[in-house]
């Protein structure tokens, strides 16, 4: 069983910064694709940023490129998202996700989410 726990959300003014963290219950960061998604009210969940397991390739949504940074600490089993120059449209619940193969099957695990609210 994999558990992901996000923290670091909150209320911030436009132009400010927040750092989200995702703590995994066990060592899963190496070799697995991990990422951050977000879901704004009334909208579908969307990818924000991810690090692929094999090559460590980083992908970002166009809307956050140049403002957000994703990183992982394999020793600490932690995935982080540094968000700078926040905009009101970044307001959403942010979820940590890991994709891994378990017993030959593709699995996707989610955290409970953390609210980020950016005021104008």
């Amino acid at each position: 069983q994999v558990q992901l726990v996000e923290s670091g959300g909150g209320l911030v003014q436009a132009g400010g910064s927040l750092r989200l963290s995702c703590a995994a219950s066990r060592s899963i960061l190496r070799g697995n694709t991990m990422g951050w998604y977000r879901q704004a009210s009334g909208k579908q969940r969307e990818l924000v940023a991810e690090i692929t397991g094999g090559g460590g390739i980083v992908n970002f949504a166009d809307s956050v490129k140049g403002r957000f940074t994703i990183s992982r600490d394999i020793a600490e089993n932690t995935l982080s998202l540094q968000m700078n120059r926040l905009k009101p449209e970044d307001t959403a619940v942010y979820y940590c996700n890991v994709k891994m193969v378990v017993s030959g099957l593709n699995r996707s695990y989610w955290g409970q989410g953390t609210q980020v609210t950016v005021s104008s």
Side-chain angles (χ1 to χ4, degrees):
Q1 183 71 15
V2 174
Q3 289 185 326
L4 304 172
V5 179
E6 302 100 334
S7 61
L11 173 64
V12 64
Q13 288 188 331
S17 298
L18 281 175
R19 184 176 180 86
L20 305 183
S21 293
C22 172
S25 58
R26 58 185 179 90
S27 180
I28 58 172
L29 271 68
R30 191 187 302 276
N32 295 306
T33 295
M34 295 200 67
W36 289 94
Y37 288 71
R38 67 186 181 188
Q39 187 167 18
S41 180
K43 295 187 178 181
Q44 289 188 330
R45 192 171 297 187
E46 63 175 359
L47 174 68
V48 176
E50 68 177 2
I51 299 178
T52 61
I57 298 172
V58 177
N59 298 308
F60 289 98
D62 288 341
S63 58
V64 306
K65 283 180 180 176
R67 299 188 297 123
F68 290 12
T69 303
I70 188 171
S71 60
R72 60 184 177 182
D73 186 328
I74 293 175
E76 295 294 327
N77 298 326
T78 301
L79 182 73
S80 298
L81 184 70
Q82 178 66 42
M83 306 185 294
N84 299 325
R85 303 198 306 277
L86 284 161
K87 304 176 181 180
E89 49 264 44
D90 294 319
T91 295
V93 178
Y94 284 70
Y95 297 91
C96 179
N97 172 265
V98 60
K99 296 179 177 62
M100 54 196 301
V101 178
V102 179
S103 300
L105 298 175
N106 293 324
R107 298 290 188 187
S108 183
Y109 297 94
W110 297 90
Q112 83 287 352
T114 185
Q115 177 71 47
V116 171
T117 302
V118 184
S119 63
S120 57

